[in-house]
Amino acid sequence: MQIHDLPYPDPGVPDARSGPRFLWWLFRNQLGGQLRSLAWGLVHFVSVSALPFCVGVAVQAVVDRSGSRLALAGGLLALACAGSAIGDTFLHRTAITNWITAAARVQQLLARKASSLGSGLTRRVSAGEVVAVSTGDIEKIGWFVEAVSRFTAAALTIVIVCVGLVVYQPALGVVVAVGLPVLAVAVLPLLPRATRRADFQREKAGRATELASDTVAGLRVLRGIGGEELFLDRYRSASQEVRHAAVRSARMWSLISAIQVLLPGLLLIAVVWHGVGLAREGRITIGELVATYSSVMILTYPLRHFEEIAMAYSFSRPSARRAARVLSLERATSEEGSLAGDAPSGDLYDPATGVLAPSGRLTAVVCGDPDAAGQLAERLGGHPAEEATSVLLGGVPLDELPLSVARTAVLVQDKDPVLLSGTLRELLDVPASGGIDPEEALTAAQCDDVLAALVQGSLGAEDPMDARITERGRSLSGGQRQRLALARSLITDPEVLVLDEPTSAVDSHTEARIAEGVRNLRSGRTTVVFTSSPLLLDRADRVVLVHEGEVVAVGVHRELVHKEPRYRAVVTRETESTDDALPGVLEEIEETA
């Protein structure tokens, strides 16, 4: 896989049982790229390590006044330099390719998992953790996957050089062959502590990221209640903990780096001291001493990759563990399904609660518990949080349909819809039947003032469709975001549309017009609205009251508000007597009708 071939047609099925298993799975799935990186790494490192031997031959040729051997040494030097340059160039290319393709694979896996789980993802994993995994963690995972092949090439080069030194000059080669493995494993006792400190730092950093994400998402509410300073103090405290953890981790890695500088220096001193003695005795030539000395100097370069692989693994392991945790989450139902064919049509029925939404009609569902309402909305869309009896659409279990078919048939808009940044045209460019024009959807959702606000806030945008929407629509009010999200849902024109509190942030007059617009635009289509607003309920063809997980009353709004006390308690939000609350509700309906 090359960078220009991304994204992957299929990123594969990851081994998410643990962080190390996930890293190993990534490595195996990029074996071709790893082998290419290993080959170019060997070319580069072996060429660099051959330079001392060439220098040793050249020095000895000068001592012996041999022109032919000096020319040979010059040719070998040129060849080694060319090999080093070419190997380094292509090693860098293949290593970066491995890094980017590994990160892209993880991104695709995370995106596929988020798409599969839908809103259930943030119910099981915090939004901050998802952000941390999909940003900083994928870079660290890619770093380790890329570093493995370079480390392997460096380790093989050290073995080759040690063997070559033993053959070339046994008296000094044995010293180097014994000393280099000691240098390579000298820092191993420090790695567990360094790893623990790195894990602790990543944990603190992840917590700070979650806190920042949650604070930014709730900034409007925090300003409303004057809670900015409280959360700012919490973030300051969390960031200071991250700083202290990072300093402690850096100290340990600094110690490891110092040891990897000190020990090669000691080995170099030992080689020079022993080599000078051998040269005085005439047991080795000056060229052999120079070659051995230079080899030890050069080998400090591949030795640095031992430290890098340790750091890469220490930093990537917690990142891989978090990624594996997200990727190990499974839907309560299968994505493939056992049935094939087009999306069914007909009545939408939930056997678990008894909720029935007749085909082609507007059904309102009243539920006193907002969390229970949200979970029921997800069930009706084929996204149950846990295994249970499947919802039926036209008598066909949604659980037995492929996920793509089920989502085509039933669209769920939750109570906190997300607006992606971009132009309004891009926001409304969603898979749709083509039966509803964007202007019709925007009109039904009462978005005239929203369009005017977008044009006013976008420089040079005369057409509202070219106006830009900021990240998550934060420049818009809650009611404006709701209406744009509703228009987007209406454009898709699904067989069944499930809306969870679609007008909770708009005023009563706008809400009444939205109710009428949705009713007219969705005529002949099945629509389910979870709400406790009398204005929406009064315009529904059918109202269903769900209490403690089951249907307890069915009818129309004006009938239920008179005859069903539990329904009246939810709809009127009564704190006074029923007789006092009821006239106010009916009067509000009459005024906005």
Side-chain angles (χ1 to χ4, degrees):
M1 171 64 69
Q2 298 298 317
I3 295 177
H4 59 77
D5 295 325
L6 294 173
Y8 286 93
D10 180 11
V13 179
D15 186 348
R17 289 176 290 177
S18 66
R21 288 179 182 271
F22 179 59
L23 291 174
W24 173 241
W25 178 84
L26 281 174
F27 178 83
R28 287 189 292 108
N29 278 268
Q30 295 191 221
L31 192 57
Q34 296 292 344
L35 292 176
R36 285 191 294 272
S37 182
L38 174 61
W40 287 116
L42 284 173
V43 171
H44 172 61
F45 289 126
V46 171
S47 297
V48 170
S49 301
L51 292 174
F53 293 95
C54 299
V55 171
V57 172
V59 169
Q60 191 60 42
V62 172
V63 172
D64 295 340
R65 299 180 180 276
S66 174
S68 60
R69 280 192 292 161
L70 184 60
L72 175 63
L76 292 175
L77 273 172
L79 183 62
C81 289
S84 174
I86 295 173
D88 190 28
T89 300
F90 285 95
L91 171 62
H92 181 74
R93 287 174 59 91
T94 55
I96 294 301
T97 299
N98 288 337
W99 189 333
I100 293 177
T101 52
R105 187 188 294 272
V106 178
Q107 278 186 323
Q108 284 187 246
L109 291 170
L110 291 171
R112 186 175 67 181
K113 181 60 65 174
S115 175
S116 171
L117 295 176
S119 60
L121 175 61
T122 52
R123 292 179 183 271
R124 302 162 71 177
V125 181
S126 68
E129 182 170 351
V130 176
V131 171
V133 171
S134 58
T135 53
D137 284 341
I138 60 171
E139 294 185 7
K140 293 177 175 59
I141 292 172
W143 176 27
F144 174 76
V145 173
E146 171 268 327
V148 170
S149 56
R150 286 190 292 112
F151 162 73
T152 305
L156 290 175
T157 300
I158 290 175
V159 172
I160 293 171
V161 172
C162 287
V163 173
L165 283 174
V166 171
V167 174
Y168 178 69
Q169 178 43 253
L172 284 177
V174 171
V175 176
V176 177
V178 172
L180 282 178
V182 174
L183 297 184
V185 301
V187 297
L188 289 182
L190 298 177
L191 290 180
R193 180 177 296 182
T195 301
R196 287 195 298 270
R197 290 189 180 185
D199 290 350
F200 184 72
Q201 176 196 351
R202 292 299 303 158
E203 179 183 345
K204 291 295 183 181
R207 171 58 185 155
T209 301
E210 293 175 19
L211 184 60
S213 175
D214 294 341
T215 302
V216 171
L219 189 58
R220 187 184 297 272
V221 177
L222 291 176
R223 286 176 175 171
I225 63 176
E228 306 101 307
E229 287 300 323
L230 174 62
F231 274 80
L232 185 59
D233 289 341
R234 289 183 180 178
Y235 183 73
R236 285 196 186 104
S237 176
S239 63
Q240 288 301 312
E241 291 179 2
V242 174
R243 184 178 68 84
H244 290 307
V247 169
R248 294 184 71 247
S249 178
R251 285 174 180 168
M252 184 57 64
W253 288 112
S254 297
L255 177 60
I256 292 175
S257 297
I259 291 174
Q260 292 219 323
V261 172
L262 174 64
L263 293 183
L266 294 177
L267 177 61
L268 189 62
I269 293 172
V271 169
V272 172
W273 179 78
H274 185 53
V276 169
L278 294 176
R280 285 178 176 177
E281 296 173 3
R283 296 172 57 185
I284 64 172
T285 64
I286 297 299
E288 291 173 337
L289 176 59
V290 171
T292 306
Y293 167 81
S294 302
S295 295
V296 176
M297 287 286 293
I298 290 293
L299 285 178
T300 57
Y301 170 51
L303 274 174
R304 301 296 296 179
H305 289 76
F306 284 75
E307 177 188 354
E308 183 191 10
I309 194 65
M311 290 184 66
Y313 180 71
S314 297
F315 282 95
S316 66
R317 190 181 66 172
S319 298
R321 184 170 62 244
R322 278 193 293 271
R325 180 189 173 196
V326 174
L327 295 175
S328 64
L329 300 176
E330 297 292 343
R331 286 175 48 85
T333 58
S334 171
E335 294 185 38
E336 301 299 329
S338 58
L339 300 178
D342 298 331
S345 60
D347 297 344
L348 184 68
Y349 176 64
D350 178 23
T353 59
V355 172
L356 172 65
S359 175
R361 300 178 66 184
L362 174 59
T363 301
V365 180
V366 177
C367 186
D369 184 355
D371 290 335
Q375 293 176 7
L376 178 54
E378 291 180 0
R379 278 182 49 77
L380 293 179
H383 316 301
E386 55 187 22
E387 292 188 14
T389 305
S390 175
V391 171
L392 306 177
L393 178 59
V396 178
L398 286 181
D399 291 356
E400 297 181 10
L401 294 174
L403 182 59
S404 58
V405 175
R407 286 184 170 174
T408 300
V410 184
L411 174 66
V412 179
Q413 177 183 304
D414 61 27
K415 64 184 66 178
D416 296 312
V418 175
L419 301 183
L420 302 178
S421 60
T423 64
L424 180 59
R425 192 185 311 278
E426 293 170 341
L427 176 71
L428 301 181
D429 184 15
V430 292
S433 66
I436 296 180
D437 187 82
E439 293 184 3
E440 294 178 302
L442 291 168
T443 300
Q446 299 299 307
C447 292
D448 292 343
D449 63 316
V450 184
L451 300 181
L454 287 174
V455 171
Q456 185 177 4
S458 299
L459 296 177
E462 298 180 359
D463 186 349
M465 299 298 288
D466 295 326
R468 295 200 64 82
I469 299 172
T470 58
E471 181 186 4
R472 299 178 67 89
R474 290 197 175 100
S475 61
L476 304 173
S477 68
Q480 291 173 328
R481 289 197 298 271
Q482 275 192 337
R483 283 177 279 168
L484 284 179
L486 176 59
R488 179 178 60 187
S489 298
L490 292 173
I491 288 175
T492 61
D493 192 28
E495 180 68 28
V496 179
L497 177 60
V498 180
L499 304 172
D500 188 5
E501 295 288 355
T503 59
S504 59
V506 301
D507 61 83
S508 58
H509 291 281
T510 304
E511 187 176 33
R513 293 194 296 270
I514 290 175
E516 195 62 33
V518 171
R519 179 185 177 89
N520 294 334
L521 195 63
R522 293 285 299 172
S523 177
R525 292 287 200 179
T526 307
T527 307
V528 182
V529 181
F530 284 80
T531 183
S532 59
S533 167
L535 299 173
L536 286 176
L537 294 169
D538 191 53
R539 286 160 176 78
D541 299 318
R542 192 169 185 267
V543 179
V544 178
L545 173 62
V546 177
H547 181 69
E548 295 183 353
E550 62 180 14
V551 174
V552 295
V554 179
V556 294
H557 170 65
R558 293 174 183 257
E559 173 187 330
L560 292 175
V561 80
H562 283 287
K563 297 182 179 180
E564 179 54 59
R566 290 172 294 188
Y567 177 83
R568 187 164 54 243
V570 175
V571 173
T572 63
R573 303 169 180 86
E574 57 187 18
T575 56
E576 68 273 16
S577 66
T578 300
D579 293 337
D580 293 335
L582 181 56
V585 174
L586 297 178
E587 182 180 351
E588 181 182 6
I589 295 173
E590 295 294 343
E591 289 179 353
T592 56

